[in-house]
Amino acid sequence: MEQLKFYRVNDAYGCFSNFYSHPIEIDGIKWRTSEHYFQAMKFLDVKLQRKANEIVSPMEVAKFGRDRSLPLRPDWEEVKDDIMRKAVLQKVFQNQFVFDTLISTRDLFIIEHTKNDSYWADGGDGTGNNMLGKILMEVRVLMKKALMNVEIVQGDIATTYTDVIVNAANKSLTGGGGVDGAIHRAAGPEMKDYCAKYRGCKTGEARLSSGFELKAKYVIHAVGPVWYEGEKNEDEKLYQAYNNSMLLCKEIKAKSIAFPNISTGAFRFPFERATLIQRHAIVTGLMRNDLLRKVEIVCFSEKDEVRVAKLYN
Ligand code: APR
């Protein structure tokens, strides 16, 4: 199997390193890097955990974690692999670049390559355990398993027969054109009356209604961002629109859901950029929802279906 070796943050695939400078939130705490989280978990004393997170450099926090004058938790050897798994999973969930990079490695054998570590890395000569490489490949298997539940189709989302269909709504929730128009027309006037009770919905948020006269049991009205050349945090808002829809889907225990390509029509979001954000939110949403068995991406045109399928396969 072809190998992929990583180590330094600034080299290829450096985002897989625990020193990769991107904060991750775990158990309500924002950790400077996954290294900060990992080293802090060596201690049961919350004060020591907090002290670890106050250290700026991952190199220094690694030294702090290896300081044997500090009280290492007694079960560290038993729990360390699962703690690393949690850190890697959260990095993939919370960081689209890490997600996209890991998925791009396809079936390559991932190795952390350094002589400085023979448990998490390969020891420099391949005799090490490479546990971090193994965990990255485990997470990649979970991503691929989730991807198997995504189906790209061409059609009119208003006629889709899934438990839930997602509407590309606007903040008023009073209907409009495109997807919004098609869904409201097929659902009938009661849906608009029902949605009036929400008194609108912020961009990036989503609200639930029944399907009324639609085949689908539920409609999730998601409000994507209008594209302003990327100057108004549109990526994050589009991610939230998909993520909040996936969270609502989990709440109502739906087994199938259909999404349009939110914001890529009247809201002018660049198509491929939007699809990569959609893929990250939907695949990680599936990884966190065992009940959801099918996600359909309903593309209006064949051209869109081809473009989306290319980015998912
Ligand atoms: N089924 C599936 N996809 C559709 C359909 C349909 N019936 N109609 C349009 N699309 C596609 C478009 O081609 C585009 O790729 O859905 C994507 C989203 O387009 P819009 O519906 O224009 O949604 P959006 O870009 O999010 O803009 C939302 O438009 O309709 C108004 O009230 C809506 O103000 C809101 C804005």
Side-chain angles (χ1 to χ4, degrees):
M1 190 190 258
E2 206 185 324
Q3 295 182 345
L4 174 167
K5 292 183 176 179
F6 75 94
Y7 182 54
R8 294 196 189 299
V9 175
N10 298 327
D11 292 348
Y13 300 100
C15 69
F16 293 158
S17 162
N18 283 321
F19 283 24
Y20 178 58
S21 61
H22 193 280
I24 52 169
E25 185 171 326
I26 299 184
D27 302 331
I29 295 172
K30 194 165 183 179
W31 302 92
R32 289 174 190 268
T33 65
S34 50
E35 185 69 17
H36 283 77
Y37 168 72
F38 178 76
Q39 296 298 343
M41 288 303 108
K42 288 181 173 176
F43 312 110
L44 296 175
D45 179 343
V46 174
K47 285 196 289 306
L48 283 176
Q49 291 178 3
R50 206 173 294 129
K51 195 160 175 218
N53 207 21
E54 284 158 7
I55 297 169
V56 176
S57 121
M59 184 72 80
E60 291 308 311
V61 79
K63 282 190 198 135
F64 178 80
R66 291 182 195 129
D67 176 352
R68 285 290 69 80
S69 69
L70 300 172
L72 183 70
R73 61 189 286 177
D75 62 348
W76 177 247
E77 286 308 312
E78 290 79 53
V79 300
K80 66 182 182 181
D81 288 357
D82 281 344
I83 284 171
M84 187 64 86
R85 279 189 185 93
K86 189 168 180 178
V88 171
L89 258 182
Q90 287 307 319
K91 257 177 98 168
V92 162
F93 288 162
Q94 299 175 32
N95 185 308
Q96 184 186 328
F97 178 70
V98 175
F99 175 93
D100 290 346
T101 305
L102 186 51
I103 229 170
S104 77
T105 62
R106 296 202 173 278
D107 296 319
L108 292 176
F109 193 86
I110 301 174
I111 297 172
E112 184 178 27
H113 178 60
T114 173
K115 63 182 182 341
N116 302 337
D117 186 312
S118 56
Y119 182 77
W120 300 108
D122 67 349
D125 58 3
T127 59
N129 186 28
N130 183 41
M131 196 60 200
L132 178 54
K134 286 174 186 166
I135 287 174
L136 282 157
M137 290 186 279
E138 277 176 24
V139 171
R140 186 176 64 188
V141 167
L142 297 176
M143 290 159 71
K144 287 180 171 177
K145 201 163 141 260
L147 263 169
M148 305 284 284
N149 292 329
V150 181
E151 201 183 331
I152 317 297
V153 297
Q154 184 201 342
D156 173 355
I157 195 162
T159 64
T160 303
Y161 192 26
T162 43
D163 290 354
V164 183
I165 60 173
V166 176
N167 180 22
N170 61 49
K171 290 191 281 192
S172 73
L173 296 187
T174 54
V179 168
D180 208 0
I183 288 177
H184 273 275
R185 273 193 302 280
E190 283 181 87
M191 188 162 80
K192 183 177 169 182
D193 299 343
Y194 178 86
C195 288
K197 76 168 188 170
Y198 289 123
R199 308 168 72 80
C201 176
K202 281 199 205 113
T203 299
E205 294 191 6
R207 296 289 182 271
L208 182 71
S209 81
S210 81
F212 295 100
E213 294 160 41
L214 284 163
K215 289 183 190 160
K217 213 163 142 210
Y218 297 102
V219 176
I220 289 177
H221 304 266
V223 181
V226 177
W227 179 250
Y228 290 109
E229 309 310 317
E231 287 155 17
K232 295 197 171 186
N233 204 18
E234 296 95 312
D235 287 1
E236 176 57 24
K237 288 180 188 151
L238 183 60
Y239 171 82
Q240 287 308 336
Y242 279 109
N243 191 49
N244 284 323
S245 301
M246 289 297 274
L247 291 173
L248 261 180
C249 178
K250 184 171 182 177
E251 229 175 273
I252 59 175
K253 299 184 173 31
K255 292 187 177 55
S256 60
I257 185 169
F259 281 94
N261 295 304
I262 300 172
S263 285
T264 63
F267 283 0
R268 295 175 299 99
F269 206 110
F271 198 89
E272 274 70 16
R273 186 180 179 132
T275 305
L276 289 175
I277 293 167
Q278 175 197 77
R279 179 180 72 165
H280 179 226
I282 285 176
V283 173
T284 54
L286 274 161
M287 291 166 77
R288 289 180 275 195
N289 181 354
D290 294 338
L291 259 181
L292 186 57
R293 285 272 167 270
K294 183 166 90 165
V295 177
E296 275 191 24
I297 310 292
V298 184
C299 304
F300 209 33
S301 69
E302 191 183 335
K303 175 174 159 263
D304 289 351
E305 182 195 3
V306 168
R307 290 199 286 181
V308 172
K310 214 163 75 192
L311 290 168
Y312 272 79
N313 296 322

